[in-house]
Amino acid sequence: MLREQINRIEPLYPDVLGAITGGRRISMDALQCALGIFPKRTFVNQPVEVILILQNMVDQPMQIKVGLQLPSQDRKGNPVVIDTPKKLITLGLRPGEVGVLNIPIVALPPTAPGTQFPVRVAVRYRTPVEGNAVRPPTGGAPPSVLSISNFKLQALREVEFIAHTWNESTDVMTTYFDIAPNRMPPTKLDLRVRYESLWTMEEMAEERELAQAKLEDARRVATGMTRSVVYRPLLAAVEEHFGERGMPLHPGEVKAIAKIMTYTLDEGLDLEPGFSLESSRWFQTLCQVLAHDPGLEDEDRGALAVRYLFEAALYDAIVLGFATIDPKVKENLGDLAERRNYANRVLTWFAGQGEPDLSYVYLPLVMGGVVVNMIVTNKGDNPWVMIDELNEATRGRVRLVSGEVVTIFKLMDSLLAQAEDALRRARIPR
């Protein structure tokens, strides 16, 4: 019975929105959106469509209100007349549902040709009760099952979606279109707002079975996720991803995070008590990825880890990182549920919500990297280098912090001192 449970995976819902937009998204806690307009260039009397993809991130139904704000004058102060069937749309999303809302708009005379006409879209949602997350904040694995044809899917992928809100608003987005000089003759237009479901929770049973069928293939791929293969690609990916999210890292910090992530992908889940490969988020994501595209089984393991598994491995590395530092510190670091909640908070920040927080870097990622420093080594690497770089980084960081973060750096000093003692006892020269 235990073996059967281990062999059954329970992956999270797929990232349908990200599969369409190339990862571009605007996160609003329980709802993710992507906004675009197609075509980007039109004529007076010829409609374009505002396209809004909506992805429910929780297991509760959701009522959504979408408001449209259209320009009334251009940048020169000339009048602009844009018609649309509705400026306020209300719709419902089922638990975990993903859908696309098409709102046609048309510029009418006396609107003059021009560029960068703004269309602002406000999105607000409400759920009956607070739901449980069914997707990771950063999106997750691509879908293997969709409710639309490949033709419609390709048409959506041709839309240029934005990845930011207007004036840093939490729920207002802006997209732009141009009006060409030529004017089309006026015609009778049947403008209608359309909503189409792209994926519902009914598809999850098939998604799960397709991922389950890739269990053995995923195990074969996982055996290739060794430190010699994934560490270098992870180094570059850690530096890039944290920098993109407003948290540039020192070299030692990059190395430490790459090491705890490498440990998570390589052997850490087998070595640390209470963990298993099959129950990890990155392995279950791998099963989904292979179900989506079986050809990826032949992909370079380092490239596969960085392109498809990075966020899932980061989540697992946070939970595993707590376990590695637990025996070495006196502080109470919380139970498993608290650690998972913390990992989700870090990924929520990674998805674009909230301000950068140095705690997310050090606790437990950099700290975990210090603990596994001597385990995750490659030929030619001297483990002293990372420790020396971290000592330099923490001296600079600690001068700028206050409050609870000070406690984190006290823990860090203790772990660095223990790591130095271990290197001396192992007689590893600097």
Side-chain angles (χ1 to χ4, degrees), residues 187-301:
T187 57
K188 187 175 181 180
L189 299 172
D190 183 18
L191 301 181
R192 295 183 184 178
V193 174
R194 293 179 292 109
Y195 174 78
E196 185 173 11
S197 181
L198 304 176
W199 193 95
T200 65
M201 62 187 301
E202 282 73 25
E203 268 83 54
M204 192 57 202
E206 187 175 353
E207 293 271 4
R208 190 178 292 109
E209 289 307 312
L210 290 170
Q212 182 70 38
K214 289 295 179 181
L215 190 64
E216 293 305 320
D217 294 338
R219 285 194 179 115
R220 284 195 296 272
V221 172
T223 59
M225 296 284 181
T226 61
R227 65 194 68 172
S228 62
V229 173
V230 301
Y231 177 62
R232 296 298 173 190
L234 283 173
L235 270 177
V238 166
E239 184 173 26
E240 178 184 355
H241 285 309
F242 277 83
E244 285 176 347
R245 285 152 182 83
M247 184 62 77
L249 302 178
H250 292 280
E253 295 166 346
V254 174
K255 290 186 178 75
I257 296 175
K259 285 202 171 192
I260 190 62
M261 291 184 71
T262 298
Y263 184 63
T264 304
L265 289 168
D266 186 0
E267 59 186 352
L269 296 169
D270 295 323
L271 295 179
E272 299 295 331
F275 293 88
S276 70
L277 175 68
E278 288 85 356
S279 63
S280 69
R281 182 173 289 187
W282 79 256
F283 181 79
Q284 298 199 9
T285 300
L286 176 61
C287 291
Q288 291 175 281
V289 167
L290 295 180
H292 169 75
D293 184 356
L296 290 172
E297 187 178 347
D298 300 322
E299 182 95 351
D300 174 82
R301 301 300 189 251

Side-chain angles (χ1 to χ4, degrees), residues 252-253 256-257 260 361-371 390 412:
E253 295 166 346
I257 296 175
I260 190 62
V361 174
Y362 275 82
L363 182 67
L365 290 170
V366 170
M367 292 183 183
V370 172
V371 174
L390 282 173
M412 186 66 186

